[in-house]
């Protein structure tokens, strides 16, 4: 009997401490201020279209663009997209209103979009003293 009460106490204490940790983490995530009116939306259904995304985010302000990112070859959604507003206040309202909400049966997450990093420059294959060129992606070629 004492064994079960000890387990019950352990579960109760761990659940209360995890809920405190969860509330602290969620307050940190919600307190971030935006620096740009562009939002990153993840967790999208593969069936979500640009139009559905635009309809979902339109009530929060003047929407400039809603774009689902698709695979170049198959044309299917990659499960994320970007939403741009005319000003930061509208983007902040949309972030608070749509984060962790359902869209097309999936829970979506809305975060500030990070600026795109430039791609590294690709170097030309260099010739060695023996006359062979090295292609790092394929191997040795002559």
């Amino acid at each position: 009997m004492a064994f079960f009460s000890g387990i019950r106490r352990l579960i109760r204490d761990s659940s209360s401490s995890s809920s405190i940790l969860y509330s602290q983490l969620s307050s940190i995530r919600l307190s971030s201020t935006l620096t740009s009116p562009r939002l990153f939306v993840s967790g999208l259904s593969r069936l979500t279209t640009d139009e559905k995304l635009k309809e979902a985010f339109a009530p929060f302000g003047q929407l400039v663009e809603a774009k689902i990112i698709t695979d170049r070859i198959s044309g299917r959604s990659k499960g994320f997209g970007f939403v741009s507003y005319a000003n930061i206040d509208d983007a902040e309202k949309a972030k608070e209103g749509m984060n962790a909400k359902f869209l097309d049966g999936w829970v979506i997450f809305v975060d500030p979009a990070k600026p795109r990093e430039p791609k590294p420059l690709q170097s030309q294959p260099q010739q060695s003293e023996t006359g062979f060129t090295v292609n790092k992606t394929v191997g040795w070629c002559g």
Side-chain angles (χ1 to χ4, degrees):
M1 193 71 156
F3 176 73
F4 291 115
S5 65
I7 290 178
R8 191 176 321 130
R9 186 170 7 105
L10 180 65
I11 292 171
R12 184 184 66 230
D13 293 343
S14 69
S15 66
S16 65
S17 65
S18 66
S19 65
I20 292 170
L21 179 64
Y22 177 76
S23 66
Q24 289 173 346
L25 289 175
S26 64
S27 67
I28 291 169
R29 183 176 181 150
L30 294 175
S31 67
S32 66
T33 57
L34 296 176
T35 57
S36 140
R38 188 171 162 104
L39 300 172
F40 173 74
V41 183
S42 61
L44 294 171
S45 166
R46 305 256 182 212
L47 303 176
T48 304
T49 62
D50 291 344
E51 293 78 27
K52 288 182 183 179
L53 188 65
K54 192 171 189 173
E55 288 174 15
F57 281 85
F60 297 100
Q62 185 181 0
L63 194 62
V64 175
E65 180 187 33
K67 180 76 176 152
I68 302 286
I69 304 303
T70 57
D71 183 63
R72 290 182 186 170
I73 297 171
S74 68
R76 290 182 50 195
S77 167
K78 288 189 171 186
F80 65 92
F82 294 93
V83 177
S84 298
Y85 283 91
N87 58 46
I88 293 177
D89 294 333
D90 292 344
E92 188 71 42
K93 287 190 282 186
K95 180 181 170 228
E96 291 172 6
M98 290 299 290
N99 191 31
K101 301 294 185 211
F102 281 94
L103 181 63
D104 288 339
W106 289 57
V107 177
I108 63 169
F109 299 98
V110 182
D111 293 306
K114 296 177 184 173
R116 186 178 227 174
E117 295 180 7
K119 292 183 179 180
L121 296 174
Q122 293 183 354
S123 62
Q124 297 293 327
Q126 297 177 355
Q127 242 182 3
S128 66
E129 295 173 3
T130 59
F132 291 102
T133 58
V134 178
N135 186 343
K136 292 182 181 178
T137 57
V138 177
W140 290 94
C141 58

Coordinates of all heavy atoms in Angstrom, one line a residue, residues 60-130:
F60 N -6.3 38.7 -39.4 CA -5.4 39.3 -38.5 C -4.8 40.6 -39.0 O -4.2 41.3 -38.2 CB -4.3 38.4 -38.1 CG -4.8 37.2 -37.4 CD1 -4.9 36.0 -38.0 CD2 -5.2 37.2 -36.0 CE1 -5.4 34.8 -37.4 CE2 -5.7 36.1 -35.4 CZ -5.8 34.9 -36.1
G61 N -5.0 41.0 -40.2 CA -4.5 42.3 -40.7 C -4.4 42.2 -42.2 O -4.8 41.3 -42.9
Q62 N -3.7 43.2 -42.7 CA -3.4 43.4 -44.2 C -2.3 42.4 -44.6 O -1.2 42.6 -44.4 CB -3.0 44.8 -44.5 CG -2.9 45.0 -46.0 CD -2.5 46.5 -46.3 OE1 -2.3 47.3 -45.4 NE2 -2.3 46.7 -47.6
L63 N -2.8 41.3 -45.3 CA -1.9 40.3 -45.7 C -1.3 40.6 -47.0 O -2.0 41.0 -48.0 CB -2.7 39.0 -45.8 CG -1.9 37.7 -45.9 CD1 -1.1 37.4 -44.7 CD2 -2.9 36.5 -46.1
V64 N 0.1 40.5 -47.1 CA 0.8 40.8 -48.4 C 1.0 39.6 -49.2 O 0.7 39.6 -50.4 CB 2.1 41.5 -48.1 CG1 2.9 41.7 -49.3 CG2 2.0 42.8 -47.3
E65 N 1.4 38.5 -48.5 CA 1.7 37.2 -49.2 C 1.5 36.1 -48.3 O 1.8 36.1 -47.1 CB 3.1 37.3 -49.8 CG 3.5 36.0 -50.5 CD 5.0 36.0 -50.9 OE1 5.8 36.6 -50.1 OE2 5.3 35.5 -51.9
A66 N 1.0 35.0 -48.8 CA 1.0 33.7 -48.1 C 1.4 32.6 -49.1 O 0.8 32.4 -50.2 CB -0.5 33.4 -47.7
K67 N 2.6 32.0 -48.8 CA 3.2 31.1 -49.8 C 3.6 29.8 -49.1 O 4.3 29.7 -48.1 CB 4.5 31.8 -50.3 CG 5.2 31.0 -51.3 CD 4.6 30.9 -52.6 CE 5.4 30.2 -53.6 NZ 4.7 29.6 -54.7
I68 N 3.1 28.7 -49.7 CA 3.5 27.3 -49.3 C 4.8 26.9 -50.0 O 4.8 27.1 -51.3 CB 2.4 26.3 -49.6 CG1 1.1 26.7 -48.9 CG2 2.8 24.9 -49.2 CD1 1.1 26.4 -47.4
I69 N 5.8 26.4 -49.4 CA 7.0 26.0 -50.1 C 6.8 24.5 -50.6 O 6.4 23.7 -49.8 CB 8.2 26.0 -49.1 CG1 8.3 27.4 -48.5 CG2 9.5 25.6 -49.8 CD1 8.5 28.5 -49.5
T70 N 7.1 24.4 -51.9 CA 6.9 23.1 -52.5 C 8.2 22.5 -53.0 O 9.1 23.2 -53.3 CB 5.9 23.2 -53.7 OG1 6.4 24.1 -54.6 CG2 4.5 23.6 -53.2
D71 N 8.2 21.2 -53.2 CA 9.3 20.4 -53.7 C 9.4 20.8 -55.2 O 8.4 20.8 -55.9 CB 9.1 18.9 -53.5 CG 10.3 18.1 -54.0 OD1 11.4 18.3 -53.4 OD2 10.1 17.3 -54.9
R72 N 10.6 21.0 -55.7 CA 10.8 21.4 -57.1 C 10.4 20.2 -58.1 O 9.9 20.5 -59.1 CB 12.2 21.8 -57.4 CG 12.6 23.1 -56.8 CD 14.0 23.4 -57.1 NE 14.5 24.6 -56.4 CZ 15.7 25.0 -56.3 NH1 16.6 24.3 -56.9 NH2 16.0 26.1 -55.7
I73 N 10.7 19.0 -57.7 CA 10.5 17.9 -58.6 C 9.1 17.4 -58.5 O 8.4 17.3 -59.6 CB 11.5 16.7 -58.2 CG1 12.9 17.2 -58.5 CG2 11.2 15.5 -59.1 CD1 14.0 16.3 -58.0
S74 N 8.6 17.1 -57.3 CA 7.2 16.5 -57.2 C 6.1 17.6 -57.2 O 5.0 17.3 -57.5 CB 7.1 15.6 -56.0 OG 7.2 16.4 -54.8
G75 N 6.4 18.8 -56.8 CA 5.4 19.8 -56.7 C 4.6 19.8 -55.4 O 3.7 20.5 -55.2
R76 N 4.9 18.8 -54.5 CA 4.1 18.6 -53.3 C 4.6 19.6 -52.2 O 5.8 20.0 -52.2 CB 4.3 17.2 -52.8 CG 3.6 16.2 -53.6 CD 3.7 14.8 -53.1 NE 3.4 14.7 -51.7 CZ 3.6 13.8 -50.9 NH1 4.3 12.7 -51.3 NH2 3.3 13.8 -49.6
S77 N 3.8 19.9 -51.3 CA 4.1 20.8 -50.2 C 5.2 20.1 -49.3 O 5.2 18.9 -49.1 CB 2.9 21.1 -49.4 OG 3.2 21.7 -48.1
K78 N 6.1 21.0 -48.8 CA 7.1 20.5 -47.9 C 6.6 20.6 -46.4 O 7.4 20.2 -45.5 CB 8.4 21.3 -48.1 CG 9.1 21.0 -49.3 CD 10.5 21.7 -49.3 CE 11.3 21.2 -50.5 NZ 12.7 21.8 -50.4
G79 N 5.4 21.1 -46.2 CA 4.9 21.1 -44.9 C 5.2 22.4 -44.1 O 4.9 22.5 -42.9
F80 N 5.7 23.4 -44.8 CA 5.9 24.7 -44.2 C 5.7 25.8 -45.2 O 5.6 25.6 -46.4 CB 7.3 24.8 -43.5 CG 8.4 24.8 -44.5 CD1 9.0 25.9 -45.0 CD2 9.0 23.6 -44.8 CE1 10.1 25.9 -45.9 CE2 10.1 23.5 -45.7 CZ 10.6 24.7 -46.2
G81 N 5.6 27.1 -44.7 CA 5.4 28.2 -45.6 C 5.7 29.5 -44.9 O 6.1 29.5 -43.8
F82 N 5.4 30.6 -45.6 CA 5.7 31.9 -45.1 C 4.5 32.8 -45.3 O 3.8 32.7 -46.3 CB 6.9 32.5 -45.8 CG 8.2 31.8 -45.5 CD1 8.7 30.8 -46.3 CD2 8.9 32.2 -44.4 CE1 9.8 30.2 -46.1 CE2 10.1 31.5 -44.1 CZ 10.6 30.5 -44.9
V83 N 4.2 33.7 -44.4 CA 3.2 34.7 -44.4 C 3.8 36.0 -44.2 O 4.5 36.2 -43.2 CB 2.1 34.3 -43.4 CG1 1.0 35.4 -43.4 CG2 1.5 33.0 -43.6
S84 N 3.4 37.0 -45.0 CA 3.9 38.4 -44.8 C 2.8 39.3 -44.7 O 1.8 39.2 -45.4 CB 4.8 38.8 -46.1 OG 5.9 37.9 -46.2
Y85 N 3.0 40.3 -43.7 CA 2.0 41.3 -43.5 C 2.5 42.7 -43.8 O 3.7 42.8 -44.0 CB 1.6 41.3 -42.0 CG 0.6 40.1 -41.7 CD1 1.1 38.9 -41.2 CD2 -0.8 40.3 -41.8 CE1 0.2 37.9 -40.9 CE2 -1.6 39.3 -41.5 CZ -1.1 38.1 -41.1 OH -2.0 37.0 -40.8
A86 N 1.6 43.6 -43.9 CA 2.0 45.0 -44.2 C 2.8 45.6 -43.1 O 3.7 46.5 -43.3 CB 0.8 45.9 -44.6
N87 N 2.5 45.3 -41.8 CA 3.2 45.8 -40.7 C 3.4 44.8 -39.6 O 2.8 43.7 -39.6 CB 2.5 47.1 -40.1 CG 1.1 46.8 -39.7 OD1 0.8 45.8 -39.0 ND2 0.2 47.6 -40.1
I88 N 4.3 45.1 -38.7 CA 4.7 44.2 -37.6 C 3.6 43.9 -36.6 O 3.4 42.8 -36.1 CB 6.0 44.7 -36.9 CG1 7.1 44.7 -37.9 CG2 6.3 43.9 -35.7 CD1 8.4 45.2 -37.3
D89 N 2.7 44.9 -36.4 CA 1.6 44.7 -35.4 C 0.6 43.6 -35.9 O 0.2 42.8 -35.1 CB 0.9 46.0 -35.2 CG 1.7 47.1 -34.5 OD1 2.6 46.7 -33.8 OD2 1.5 48.3 -34.7
D90 N 0.3 43.6 -37.2 CA -0.6 42.6 -37.7 C 0.1 41.2 -37.7 O -0.6 40.2 -37.3 CB -0.9 42.9 -39.2 CG -1.8 44.1 -39.3 OD1 -2.4 44.6 -38.3 OD2 -1.9 44.7 -40.5
A91 N 1.4 41.2 -37.9 CA 2.1 39.9 -37.8 C 2.2 39.4 -36.4 O 2.0 38.2 -36.2 CB 3.6 40.1 -38.3
E92 N 2.3 40.3 -35.4 CA 2.3 39.9 -34.0 C 0.9 39.3 -33.6 O 0.8 38.3 -32.9 CB 2.6 41.1 -33.1 CG 2.8 40.7 -31.7 CD 4.1 40.0 -31.4 OE1 5.1 40.3 -32.0 OE2 4.0 39.0 -30.6
K93 N -0.2 40.0 -34.1 CA -1.5 39.4 -33.8 C -1.7 38.1 -34.4 O -2.3 37.2 -33.8 CB -2.6 40.4 -34.3 CG -2.7 41.7 -33.5 CD -3.9 42.5 -33.9 CE -3.6 43.2 -35.2 NZ -4.7 44.1 -35.6
A94 N -1.2 37.9 -35.6 CA -1.4 36.6 -36.3 C -0.6 35.5 -35.6 O -1.0 34.4 -35.5 CB -0.9 36.7 -37.8
K95 N 0.6 35.9 -35.2 CA 1.4 34.9 -34.5 C 0.7 34.4 -33.2 O 0.7 33.2 -32.9 CB 2.8 35.5 -34.1 CG 3.7 34.6 -33.4 CD 5.0 35.3 -33.1 CE 5.8 34.4 -32.1 NZ 6.4 35.2 -31.0
E96 N 0.2 35.4 -32.4 CA -0.5 35.0 -31.2 C -1.8 34.3 -31.5 O -2.2 33.4 -30.7 CB -0.8 36.3 -30.4 CG 0.5 36.9 -29.8 CD 0.2 38.3 -29.2 OE1 -1.0 38.7 -29.1 OE2 1.2 38.9 -28.8
G97 N -2.5 34.6 -32.5 CA -3.8 34.0 -32.8 C -3.7 32.7 -33.5 O -4.6 31.9 -33.4
M98 N -2.7 32.4 -34.2 CA -2.6 31.2 -35.0 C -1.6 30.1 -34.5 O -1.6 29.0 -34.9 CB -2.3 31.5 -36.5 CG -3.4 32.1 -37.2 SD -4.9 31.2 -37.3 CE -4.4 29.9 -38.4
N99 N -0.7 30.5 -33.6 CA 0.3 29.6 -33.1 C -0.4 28.4 -32.3 O -1.3 28.7 -31.4 CB 1.3 30.3 -32.2 CG 2.5 29.4 -31.8 OD1 2.8 28.5 -32.6 ND2 3.0 29.6 -30.7
A100 N -0.1 27.2 -32.6 CA -0.6 26.0 -32.0 C -2.1 25.8 -32.2 O -2.8 25.3 -31.4 CB -0.3 26.0 -30.5
K101 N -2.6 26.3 -33.4 CA -4.0 26.1 -33.8 C -4.1 25.0 -34.9 O -3.1 24.7 -35.5 CB -4.6 27.4 -34.3 CG -4.6 28.5 -33.3 CD -5.4 28.3 -32.1 CE -5.5 29.5 -31.2 NZ -5.7 29.2 -29.9
F102 N -5.3 24.6 -35.1 CA -5.5 23.6 -36.2 C -5.8 24.2 -37.5 O -6.5 25.2 -37.6 CB -6.7 22.7 -35.8 CG -6.4 21.6 -34.8 CD1 -6.6 21.8 -33.5 CD2 -5.9 20.4 -35.2 CE1 -6.3 20.9 -32.6 CE2 -5.6 19.4 -34.3 CZ -5.8 19.7 -33.0
L103 N -5.1 23.7 -38.6 CA -5.4 24.1 -40.0 C -5.4 22.9 -40.8 O -4.4 22.2 -40.8 CB -4.3 25.1 -40.4 CG -4.5 25.7 -41.8 CD1 -5.8 26.5 -42.0 CD2 -3.4 26.6 -42.2
D104 N -6.5 22.6 -41.4 CA -6.7 21.4 -42.2 C -6.4 20.1 -41.4 O -5.8 19.1 -41.9 CB -5.8 21.4 -43.5 CG -6.3 22.4 -44.5 OD1 -7.5 22.8 -44.5 OD2 -5.5 22.8 -45.4
G105 N -6.8 20.1 -40.2 CA -6.6 18.9 -39.3 C -5.2 18.8 -38.7 O -5.0 17.8 -38.0
W106 N -4.3 19.7 -38.9 CA -3.0 19.6 -38.4 C -2.7 20.8 -37.5 O -3.2 21.9 -37.7 CB -1.9 19.6 -39.5 CG -1.9 18.4 -40.3 CD1 -2.9 17.8 -41.0 CD2 -0.8 17.5 -40.6 NE1 -2.5 16.7 -41.7 CE2 -1.2 16.5 -41.4 CE3 0.5 17.6 -40.2 CZ2 -0.3 15.5 -41.8 CZ3 1.4 16.6 -40.6 CH2 0.9 15.5 -41.4
V107 N -1.9 20.6 -36.4 CA -1.5 21.7 -35.6 C -0.4 22.4 -36.2 O 0.7 21.8 -36.6 CB -1.1 21.2 -34.2 CG1 -0.6 22.3 -33.3 CG2 -2.2 20.4 -33.5
I108 N -0.5 23.7 -36.4 CA 0.5 24.5 -37.0 C 1.2 25.4 -36.0 O 0.7 25.7 -34.9 CB 0.0 25.5 -38.1 CG1 -1.0 26.5 -37.5 CG2 -0.7 24.6 -39.2 CD1 -1.4 27.5 -38.5
F109 N 2.5 25.8 -36.3 CA 3.3 26.6 -35.4 C 3.7 27.8 -36.2 O 4.2 27.7 -37.3 CB 4.5 25.8 -34.8 CG 4.0 24.6 -34.0 CD1 4.0 23.4 -34.6 CD2 3.6 24.8 -32.7 CE1 3.6 22.3 -33.9 CE2 3.2 23.7 -32.0 CZ 3.2 22.4 -32.5
V110 N 3.6 29.0 -35.5 CA 4.0 30.2 -36.2 C 5.1 30.9 -35.4 O 5.0 31.1 -34.2 CB 2.7 31.2 -36.2 CG1 3.1 32.5 -36.9 CG2 1.5 30.5 -36.8
D111 N 6.2 31.1 -36.1 CA 7.4 31.7 -35.5 C 7.9 32.9 -36.4 O 7.5 32.9 -37.6 CB 8.5 30.7 -35.4 CG 8.2 29.6 -34.4 OD1 7.8 30.0 -33.2 OD2 8.2 28.4 -34.7
P112 N 8.7 33.8 -35.9 CA 9.3 34.8 -36.8 C 10.2 34.2 -37.8 O 10.9 33.2 -37.6 CB 10.1 35.6 -35.8 CG 9.7 35.3 -34.4 CD 9.1 33.9 -34.5
A113 N 10.1 34.7 -39.0 CA 11.0 34.2 -40.1 C 12.4 34.7 -40.0 O 12.6 35.9 -39.7 CB 10.4 34.5 -41.5
K114 N 13.3 33.8 -40.2 CA 14.7 34.3 -40.1 C 15.1 34.7 -41.5 O 14.7 34.2 -42.5 CB 15.6 33.1 -39.7 CG 15.3 32.6 -38.3 CD 16.2 31.5 -37.9 CE 15.8 30.9 -36.6 NZ 16.6 29.7 -36.3
P115 N 16.1 35.7 -41.6 CA 16.5 36.1 -42.9 C 17.3 35.0 -43.6 O 17.9 34.1 -43.0 CB 17.5 37.3 -42.6 CG 17.6 37.4 -41.2 CD 16.7 36.4 -40.5
R116 N 17.1 34.9 -44.9 CA 17.8 33.9 -45.7 C 19.3 34.1 -45.7 O 19.8 35.2 -45.9 CB 17.3 33.9 -47.1 CG 17.7 32.8 -48.0 CD 17.1 32.9 -49.4 NE 16.6 31.6 -49.7 CZ 15.9 31.4 -50.8 NH1 15.6 32.3 -51.6 NH2 15.5 30.2 -51.1
E117 N 20.0 33.0 -45.5 CA 21.5 33.0 -45.5 C 22.0 32.8 -46.9 O 21.4 32.0 -47.6 CB 22.0 31.9 -44.5 CG 21.7 32.2 -43.1 CD 22.2 31.1 -42.2 OE1 23.0 30.2 -42.7 OE2 21.9 31.1 -41.0
P118 N 23.0 33.5 -47.3 CA 23.5 33.3 -48.6 C 24.2 31.9 -48.8 O 24.7 31.4 -47.8 CB 24.6 34.4 -48.8 CG 24.9 34.8 -47.4 CD 23.7 34.5 -46.5
K119 N 24.0 31.4 -50.0 CA 24.6 30.1 -50.3 C 26.1 30.2 -50.4 O 26.6 31.2 -51.0 CB 24.0 29.5 -51.5 CG 22.5 29.1 -51.4 CD 22.1 28.5 -52.7 CE 20.6 28.1 -52.6 NZ 20.1 27.5 -53.8
P120 N 26.9 29.2 -50.0 CA 28.3 29.3 -50.1 C 28.7 29.2 -51.6 O 28.0 28.5 -52.4 CB 28.8 28.1 -49.3 CG 27.7 27.2 -49.2 CD 26.4 28.0 -49.3
L121 N 29.7 29.9 -52.0 CA 30.2 29.8 -53.4 C 30.8 28.4 -53.6 O 31.5 27.9 -52.8 CB 31.2 30.9 -53.6 CG 30.7 32.3 -53.5 CD1 31.9 33.3 -53.6 CD2 29.7 32.6 -54.5
Q122 N 30.5 27.9 -54.8 CA 31.1 26.6 -55.2 C 32.4 26.9 -55.9 O 32.4 27.7 -56.9 CB 30.1 25.8 -56.1 CG 28.8 25.4 -55.4 CD 27.9 24.6 -56.3 OE1 28.2 24.4 -57.5 NE2 26.9 24.1 -55.7
S123 N 33.4 26.2 -55.5 CA 34.7 26.4 -56.1 C 34.8 25.4 -57.3 O 34.2 24.4 -57.4 CB 35.8 26.0 -55.1 OG 35.7 24.7 -54.7
Q124 N 35.7 25.9 -58.2 CA 36.0 25.1 -59.5 C 36.9 24.0 -59.1 O 37.8 24.1 -58.2 CB 36.6 26.0 -60.5 CG 35.7 27.1 -61.0 CD 34.5 26.6 -61.7 OE1 34.6 25.6 -62.4 NE2 33.4 27.3 -61.6
P125 N 36.8 22.8 -59.8 CA 37.8 21.7 -59.5 C 39.2 22.1 -59.8 O 39.5 22.8 -60.8 CB 37.3 20.6 -60.5 CG 36.1 21.0 -61.1 CD 35.9 22.5 -60.8
Q126 N 40.1 21.8 -58.9 CA 41.5 22.2 -59.1 C 42.3 21.0 -59.7 O 42.1 19.9 -59.3 CB 42.1 22.6 -57.8 CG 41.4 23.8 -57.2 CD 41.9 24.1 -55.8 OE1 42.8 23.4 -55.2 NE2 41.5 25.3 -55.3
Q127 N 43.3 21.4 -60.5 CA 44.1 20.3 -61.1 C 45.4 20.1 -60.2 O 45.9 21.1 -59.7 CB 44.6 20.8 -62.5 CG 44.2 19.9 -63.6 CD 44.7 20.3 -64.9 OE1 45.4 21.2 -65.1 NE2 44.3 19.5 -65.9
S128 N 45.7 18.9 -60.0 CA 46.9 18.6 -59.2 C 48.1 18.5 -60.1 O 48.1 18.7 -61.3 CB 46.7 17.2 -58.5 OG 46.6 16.2 -59.4
E129 N 49.2 18.2 -59.5 CA 50.5 18.1 -60.2 C 50.5 17.0 -61.2 O 51.2 17.1 -62.2 CB 51.7 18.0 -59.2 CG 51.9 19.1 -58.3 CD 52.9 18.9 -57.2 OE1 53.5 17.8 -57.2 OE2 53.1 19.7 -56.4
T130 N 49.8 16.0 -61.0 CA 49.8 14.8 -61.9 C 48.8 15.0 -63.1 O 48.8 14.2 -64.0 CB 49.3 13.5 -61.1 OG1 48.0 13.8 -60.6 CG2 50.3 13.2 -60.0

